């Protein structure tokens, strides 16, 4: 590890670049870069991912990086910068996405407009400020400060700004960069990780799966509902409410989620209950005068990353089958369930060298930072780890304000992250 004197020199250089760093974040927040496919905001954001990377490319070049700007999908350019070491040290990859989710109803943005990049009371406001344009900028400025302090990394430093993460379009972004040959001895995904404290280091994240479940009913005039629910009624000979039967499925999923809250435990998630089963969509019927003939539900499963997808499917199927077996209609007309989405988790040990290097570097900046916890959501570290590159997550900002109408990032978080990145480069790559 660098001496305290050398660390302080690097920290001073980060501080000297603070205004420039903040300006870069503000400028990129002002470029709407919503992932294509998010509906009404697609047009105002068309080409936004590319415009962000065209803005960032000269900054990478000024830092001494060789850059590669290319499109895997038309109009959506990725950017990778490589600072070449002398070959005597380990290489380190920083990964972040430039796409953002839609701003939504702008009237809900009561603190600042979504594309304002406004600075107020030590916070940068706007969509993408936390998730995750601040992390992208902090990685570059961590390297820039290290160089300005007179230290040259021995190993290569790679910084990726990719498209498509918000919709798991890894083939256009992170997966495309891997396919293009951008690899390193370890990686850091600069997602916002202020969660169980400031700037957590996250070597694990849950997997997320989505299941669509359809329940069949038997339509009839709504005035016949008494025949379906009263003792002595004709029941299913007249009709069956798919909504009523679907609610049985809903109750099953609720009880499964409650069981998970007590039984699903992972050492990186310091309390039980993070792994959840939750409804994300429901639809039933055609109108008020007809007993509904169908109900469709979608459920999301945030599951332990150590659990394989097939095992998850079997667990859910077995639980649901047992639960509905007490209902004659559902037993004879079981729900049709399709698994429609899967984002794998990742699971490194806390003693993985890159995890320890980054945690030590972050704590050197502030002892209250750098605690090791699981990342609560999904991110591209899953795909980088799957490619054989041990990768953790750490970056400025809070996930609880990401994707919300109050998204912001504390400037102090950004500065501290840049300092931690600089130290991590020095320690991992050698100087």
């Amino acid at each position: 590890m660098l001496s305290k004197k050398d660390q302080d020199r690097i920290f001073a250089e980060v501080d000297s670049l603070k205004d420039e760093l903040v300006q870069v974040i503000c400028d990129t927040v002002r470029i709407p870069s919503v992932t294509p496919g998010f509906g009404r905001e697609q047009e105002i954001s068309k080409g936004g991912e590319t415009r962000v990377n065209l803005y960032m490319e000269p900054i990478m070049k000024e830092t001494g990086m060789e850059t590669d700007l290319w499109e895997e999908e038309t109009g959506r350019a990725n950017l990778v910068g490589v600072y070449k070491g002398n070959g005597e040290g380990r290489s380190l990859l920083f990964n972040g996405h430039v796409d953002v989710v839609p701003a939504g109803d702008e009237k809900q943005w009561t603190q600042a407009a979504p594309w304002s990049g406004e600075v107020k009371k030590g916070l940068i406001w706007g969509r993408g400020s936390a998730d995750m344009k601040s992390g992208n900028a902090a990685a570059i400025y961590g390297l820039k400060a290290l160089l300005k302090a007179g230290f040259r990394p021995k190993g290569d430093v790679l910084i990726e700004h990719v498209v498509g993460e918000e919709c798991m379009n890894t083939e256009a972004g992170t997966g495309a960069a891997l396919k293009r040959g951008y690899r390193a001895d370890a990686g850091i995904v600069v997602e916002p990780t202020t969660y169980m404290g400031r700037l957590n280091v996250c070597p694990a994240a849950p997997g997320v799966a989505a299941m669509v479940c359809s329940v069949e009913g038997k339509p009839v005039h709504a005035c016949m509902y008494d025949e379906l629910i009263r003792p002595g009624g004709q029941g299913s000979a007249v009709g069956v409410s798919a909504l009523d039967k679907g609610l049985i499925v809903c109750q099953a999923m609720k009880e499964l989620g409650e069981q998970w809250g007590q039984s699903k435990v992972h050492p990186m998630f310091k309390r039980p209950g993070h792994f959840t089963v939750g409804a994300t969509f429901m639809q039933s019927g055609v109108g008020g005068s007809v007993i509904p003939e169908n109900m469709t539900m979608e459920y999301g499963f945030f599951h332990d990353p150590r659990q394989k997808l097939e095992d998850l499917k079997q667990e859910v199927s077995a639980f649901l089958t047992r639960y509905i077996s007490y209902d004659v209609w559902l037993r004879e007309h079981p729900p049709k369930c399709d698994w429609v989405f899967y984002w794998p988790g990742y699971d490194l040990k806390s003693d993985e060298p890159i995890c320890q290097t980054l945690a030590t570097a972050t704590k050197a900046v502030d002892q209250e930072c750098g605690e090791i916890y699981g990342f609560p959501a999904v991110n591209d570290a899953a795909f980088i780890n799957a490619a054989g590159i041990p990768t953790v997550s750490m970056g400025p900002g809070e996930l609880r304000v990401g994707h919300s109408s109050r998204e912001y990032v504390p400037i102090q978080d950004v500065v501290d992250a840049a300092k931690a990145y600089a130290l991590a480069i020095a320690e991992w790559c050698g100087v």
Side-chain angles (χ1 to χ4, degrees):
M1 197 70 181
L2 294 171
S3 68
K4 181 67 165 57
K5 181 180 179 181
D6 287 339
Q7 289 180 15
D8 288 344
R9 198 161 91 219
I10 295 167
F11 293 169
E13 294 298 348
V14 173
D15 289 333
S16 75
L17 294 167
K18 174 182 171 181
D19 290 346
E20 187 178 329
L21 171 57
V22 168
Q23 189 62 56
V24 167
I25 298 168
C26 293
D27 287 348
T28 53
V29 168
R30 291 173 187 137
I31 303 173
S33 53
V34 177
T35 307
F38 266 113
R40 68 179 183 85
E41 297 197 46
Q42 186 171 344
E43 283 305 311
I44 66 167
S45 295
K46 192 172 183 179
E49 295 160 311
T50 296
R51 291 197 300 275
V52 171
N53 280 334
L54 286 171
Y55 176 96
M56 298 302 296
E57 186 178 27
I59 299 171
M60 286 188 175
K61 287 182 175 179
E62 290 165 7
T63 308
M65 309 185 83
E66 299 174 5
T67 61
D68 182 12
L69 186 75
W70 86 98
E71 295 180 356
E72 202 71 23
E73 290 187 4
T74 303
R76 308 180 68 193
N78 296 296
L79 173 64
V80 176
V82 180
Y83 183 88
K84 298 293 292 184
N86 61 13
E88 296 178 0
R90 295 175 293 187
S91 55
L92 183 59
L93 167 68
F94 290 88
N95 169 278
H97 61 85
V98 296
D99 61 313
V100 299
V101 299
D105 183 0
E106 296 196 13
K107 293 178 183 177
Q108 298 292 324
W109 290 77
T110 57
Q111 296 294 325
W115 311 113
S116 66
E118 187 175 347
V119 177
K120 292 194 300 186
K121 297 181 180 179
L123 307 174
I124 304 171
W125 290 85
R127 174 62 79 232
S129 55
D131 187 13
M132 55 185 294
K133 293 174 180 178
S134 56
N136 292 339
I140 296 174
Y141 277 81
L143 174 62
K144 191 170 186 176
L146 185 68
L147 296 169
K148 194 176 175 188
F151 297 98
R152 298 290 181 270
K154 293 181 180 179
D156 294 351
V157 179
L158 294 77
I159 299 179
E160 296 179 345
H161 292 178
V162 299
V163 306
E165 190 268 358
E166 292 292 0
C167 287
M168 203 188 73
N169 191 2
T170 186
E171 296 83 2
T174 290
L178 287 164
K179 185 178 178 181
R180 204 168 174 88
Y182 291 112
R183 304 180 62 86
D185 294 312
I188 299 170
V189 170
V190 296
E191 286 276 4
T193 59
T194 290
Y195 174 57
M196 299 289 285
R198 290 186 62 235
L199 298 176
N200 299 139
V201 175
C202 303
V208 174
M211 178 187 75
V212 172
C213 199
S214 299
V215 176
E216 172 189 349
K218 186 175 180 179
V220 67
H221 195 290
C223 73
M224 293 290 105
Y225 194 49
D226 62 325
E227 293 285 347
L228 315 186
I229 65 171
R230 302 296 184 213
Q234 297 181 62
S236 61
V238 173
V240 175
S241 169
L243 177 57
D244 288 354
K245 300 306 179 183
L247 290 176
I248 296 174
V249 175
C250 292
Q251 186 61 33
M253 293 296 98
K254 181 180 179 181
E255 291 197 18
L256 178 61
E258 290 173 351
Q259 287 188 16
W260 277 24
Q262 299 298 319
S263 63
K264 301 290 187 180
V265 179
H266 186 287
M268 289 297 101
F269 295 87
K270 301 302 185 184
R271 54 182 171 81
H274 184 73
F275 305 117
T276 56
V277 179
T280 57
F281 173 83
M282 290 186 183
Q283 186 174 39
S284 180
V286 294
S289 64
V290 183
I291 296 296
E293 64 179 319
N294 55 65
M295 182 173 179
T296 301
M297 301 150 279
E298 181 170 329
Y299 276 86
F301 301 82
F302 280 73
H303 72 90
D304 188 321
R306 297 170 297 186
Q307 185 177 30
K308 295 180 180 178
L309 177 60
E310 286 306 313
D311 293 337
L312 171 68
K313 291 180 179 179
Q314 291 176 16
E315 178 185 2
V316 173
S317 177
F319 186 90
L320 184 56
T321 298
R322 287 195 305 272
Y323 197 95
I324 66 173
S325 65
Y326 299 100
D327 184 273
V328 175
W329 176 264
L330 287 175
R331 192 166 63 240
E332 296 176 353
H333 303 81
K336 182 179 182 296
C337 297
D338 296 308
W339 294 87
V340 297
F341 174 86
Y342 185 59
W343 191 316
Y346 66 95
D347 187 36
L348 296 181
K349 302 299 183 184
S350 61
D351 59 359
E352 183 75 32
I354 185 56
C355 183
Q356 288 298 311
T357 295
L358 185 55
T360 300
T362 307
K363 280 197 167 296
V365 177
D366 187 334
Q367 281 295 311
E368 294 185 359
C369 298
E371 294 295 325
I372 298 174
Y373 289 105
F375 187 73
V378 292
N379 66 49
D380 277 349
F383 305 110
I384 304 173
N385 274 298
I389 302 169
T391 300
V392 298
S393 302
M394 192 282 279
E398 298 183 58
L399 268 181
R400 60 177 55 90
V401 300
H403 296 195
S404 79
S405 57
R406 62 186 191 282
E407 185 173 352
Y408 63 82
V409 65
I411 292 172
Q412 192 59 53
D413 266 18
V414 179
V415 172
D416 286 348
K419 291 176 179 178
Y421 295 153
L423 292 189
I425 294 169
E427 178 65 20
W428 185 262
C429 301
V431 289

